């Protein structure tokens, strides 16, 4: 039972950190111009829809 509690807590911590990193990366990608985003296969609207964060922490 205790192992399950700690595993769930760890999984939630990792999931939250992944979402935070994804928002940070989207914020960095939004600083690129449209041609660079197109070369990466991304669009500005897609990045805005996913959310962005201008700071890292």
């Amino acid at each position: 039972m205790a192992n399950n509690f700690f595993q769930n807590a760890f999984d939630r911590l990792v999931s939250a950190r992944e979402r935070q990193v994804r928002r940070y990366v989207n914020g960095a990608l939004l600083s690129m111009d449209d041609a660079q985003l197109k070369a990466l296969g991304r669009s500005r609207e897609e990045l805005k829809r996913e959310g962005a964060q201008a700071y890292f922490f």
Side-chain angles (χ1 to χ4, degrees):
M1 176 94 171
N3 277 344
N4 194 24
F5 172 78
F6 289 114
Q7 185 63 46
N8 285 340
F10 179 75
D11 290 343
R12 289 180 181 189
L13 180 70
V14 169
S15 177
R17 184 67 177 141
E18 287 174 347
R19 287 190 308 271
Q20 186 179 23
V21 169
R22 196 172 308 121
R23 286 191 310 265
Y24 174 72
V25 170
N26 285 348
L29 288 174
L30 283 172
S31 69
M32 296 178 163
D33 63 5
D34 290 335
Q36 290 173 323
L37 289 175
K38 186 176 179 182
L40 293 172
R42 305 294 301 264
S43 70
R44 190 167 303 279
E45 293 78 25
E46 176 186 349
L47 294 172
K48 286 180 181 178
R49 189 172 48 248
E50 290 176 4
Q53 180 175 334
Y55 57 91
F56 62 98
F57 216 93

